[in-house]
Structure formats: C-alpha cells, structure tokens
Amino acid sequence: MTRTRRSLLKVAAASGAVALAGCSSILGGSGGASETQWLYQPGTVGDVDHYLSLRYKPSAIAERAANFDDDVYDAMRSFGSSARDLVGFEFGTTDAQLAFGKNAVLAADFEADDVASTLEAEEFSDEDAYKNYDVYVGPDEDAAVGIGSSEVVVARSTGIFGSADNAEAVLEGILDVNAGDAESYAADNEDFKALTDAFGDSAIQSMRTYDEVESTDTDDGDFAGEVARGIDSVLVDDGIETTFVRVFNEASDIDDGDIEDWVDADDTFDEFQDVEISTNGRVVEVTGTEATGAYDFYVGSA
C-alpha cells in the first residue's frame, strides 16, 4: 500500500501559512520548557492571532534511529537544526527542543562557557544579563541567545510569523513569559490551554490554534466548529502511539459520524492498530499505534 508521505519540513511550512491565516514541560512533568512556561501570547511578535508550536525529544528519537524510515528520520534531524547548530548542540545529545517560529528553547547537558565560546566565535556580543540568563546578540542583531542553567533560548527577529522587534526584544519577550512577567499563550487562549491539558509526556508534539472552521470536509479532516488541533506521538515498546487532538468551540459542534468518516477516509490511519476515538467535553482524540518504520511526521496535518 502506498502511503502519502508528509515530511516534517513540508508540513511545517504549510502549517505556518494556516497559522498566519488563522503553537507540562518539554520533558513532561519533570520541569524544563513547556508551552505554558515559554510561549508568548500571539501578537507579541508579529501581527498574528495564532501560531504553531512543536516540542520534541531529539535524543530519545536518536536512540531509535535505525527503526525509523530514513527520509522521516532525516526530516526530524533537519527540523530545528539551525538553532542547535548556532549554539553547538548535536541532535542526539539534545534532550528536548521547543520550536515556535524561528525561536527555540533547548534542554541539554551543557556548559555555559562552551555555548558562549561557540557564539563568540560567530561574533556574537555579550550583553547585559536578563532574567538570570546571559544574553548574546548576533552581529546583525537578527539573532539573540539566552544561556540559562538548564536551557538555552534562541530568538530571531524574522520568521514565518513576521517580525515586530529586534531579536533581543523577542528573546526578552520569551524570557518574560518564563519568569511569569508576561502572559503566556495558554493563559491568553483557552483553546490552546485545552490542547496543553490534553497532552502528556511524549517524544513529539505539535499544537496550533486558528479561526473557527466554518464547514466540514471529512476528506481533508476539517470540521465545522474546530478551533485548534494538536498531535502527540509517544514512543512505546511496540512502535509509536499517536493521538490526533481536535478542539471545538463547543461540545455541541462535534459530530461523531464526521470524525469516523475522516478516520475511514484518511490514509494516515491505514497503518494504525486498534484506532480509538474518544470525546471529552469539546475535545476529540483519535489514537492508534503503528510500527516505528511506518511512522510519518504528522506535524500540522491530520
């Protein structure tokens, strides 16, 4: 059977377009970076009402490199590589990465001096510390990096969500949310909060909100009343368990028959074992497990 490949890079680009029209910790409950802890409210950077976020565990994914389809694994390694390369992190030793626009929060075992040396070699200048993070700004002021005790934050002044400030101002906006001095995406948007509440500790997650969908198209997986979606992929013993989460404006907007028609029509679910559909209030979850070699990067799609 031929499956439709949705590589991370292609899907992420499409998701950015949707976000412009319409992104618990990075390591689960153990602390670190989270959507509620780091993501600023839409409009903080660029004139947008919604955006896409992705968080994932590169080192855990790398441990299963031999089990993934080669193209899918290469796509996962490529995504977010510019932020890791900038600060000298390798994919296989980065414990977690939160990506939103061209910004990133990276968790790894690192020495602050090593990161600083890497940046200075690229002519980054050492600026005043901010919120307990050492700040470095690039020579063209289009990139800024905050080095903390357990995370490194990379901010850029331009990205798929537009630009409103220089990179250092974007970095400060991210650090303000982390410090509790600015409102987060989850605090600002109840639909995004519903997504974060539905997700747990997993290897790969994506989340986005958008303007309410007006009409249903089960072939494309679009549903009237839908306002947010997310994808949660967990590494399990027998493969990868993925849950597709849809948030609706009201629980009454959910049509169980439409959800079932989508699952029957979309070849995304062809390799899934024991697909389960569950509803909790205005949130619908579709969950199934597949072999690691059959896994595709579903970010931003179904």
Side-chain angles (χ1 to χ4, degrees):
M1 180 180 297
T2 301
R3 301 183 65 215
T4 302
R5 281 285 171 199
R6 297 183 177 92
S7 76
L8 179 78
L9 300 181
K10 291 180 180 177
V11 170
S15 300
V18 172
L20 284 169
C23 239
S24 55
S25 76
I26 240 177
L27 298 174
S30 60
S34 74
E35 288 87 356
T36 57
Q37 183 181 345
W38 292 97
L39 298 184
Y40 44 65
Q41 62 183 357
T44 301
V45 177
D47 185 17
V48 298
D49 296 323
H50 313 274
Y51 65 87
L52 168 74
S53 73
L54 167 71
R55 66 180 177 92
Y56 57 112
K57 300 179 180 179
S59 60
I61 294 168
E63 290 178 358
R64 296 196 182 190
N67 301 116
F68 284 98
D69 175 270
D70 289 343
D71 290 340
V72 171
Y73 184 71
D74 287 345
M76 289 191 284
R77 288 189 63 190
S78 295
F79 191 88
S81 60
S82 63
R84 296 191 301 271
D85 290 346
L86 180 63
V87 298
F89 286 7
E90 298 291 335
F91 181 79
T93 56
T94 300
D95 294 325
Q97 182 164 354
L98 174 64
F100 47 113
K102 288 192 174 181
N103 307 312
V105 180
L106 303 162
D109 184 9
F110 65 90
E111 295 291 338
D113 289 345
D114 292 340
V115 178
S117 296
T118 299
L119 294 171
E120 289 169 351
E122 297 299 323
E123 299 184 351
F124 275 65
S125 59
D126 184 1
E127 305 294 333
D128 292 338
Y130 189 81
K131 307 293 183 183
N132 295 320
Y133 280 73
D134 295 331
V135 174
Y136 288 79
V137 177
D140 296 323
E141 298 186 354
D142 60 350
V145 177
I147 306 173
S149 59
S150 55
E151 299 96 10
V152 173
V153 182
V154 177
R156 299 185 186 275
S157 60
T158 57
I160 61 175
F161 307 119
S163 174
D165 300 288
N166 61 44
E168 188 172 5
V170 175
L171 175 64
E172 290 178 356
I174 297 169
L175 296 179
D176 282 343
V177 173
N178 179 58
D181 295 330
E183 193 166 48
S184 69
Y185 199 164
D188 173 70
N189 189 301
E190 292 182 356
D191 302 328
F192 193 81
K193 180 62 164 56
L195 286 175
T196 64
D197 288 346
F199 284 35
D201 182 21
S202 61
I204 306 164
Q205 292 184 347
S206 69
M207 303 183 190
R208 60 185 173 99
T209 61
Y210 35 82
D211 292 340
E212 183 175 345
V213 176
E214 295 183 355
S215 60
T216 296
D217 185 334
T218 56
D219 288 338
D220 288 338
D222 296 326
F223 306 98
E226 184 184 343
V227 292
R229 65 178 60 178
I231 305 167
D232 186 43
S233 295
V234 181
L235 302 179
V236 294
D237 291 341
D238 55 350
I240 298 179
E241 181 183 88
T242 295
T243 299
F244 296 87
V245 180
R246 300 298 176 92
V247 179
F248 290 78
N249 188 42
E250 302 285 348
S252 59
D253 291 327
I254 299 172
D255 186 314
D256 293 338
D258 287 341
I259 300 295
E260 292 171 0
D261 288 345
W262 164 52
V263 173
D264 289 339
D266 196 323
D267 64 358
T268 294
F269 302 102
D270 287 350
E271 300 288 343
F272 277 34
Q273 304 167 13
D274 302 322
V275 176
E276 296 183 359
I277 301 173
S278 63
T279 302
N280 181 12
R282 63 191 184 106
V283 177
V284 173
E285 299 184 9
V286 180
T287 302
T289 302
E290 61 187 330
T292 304
Y295 177 78
D296 226 333
F297 239 138
Y298 304 116
V299 175
S301 60

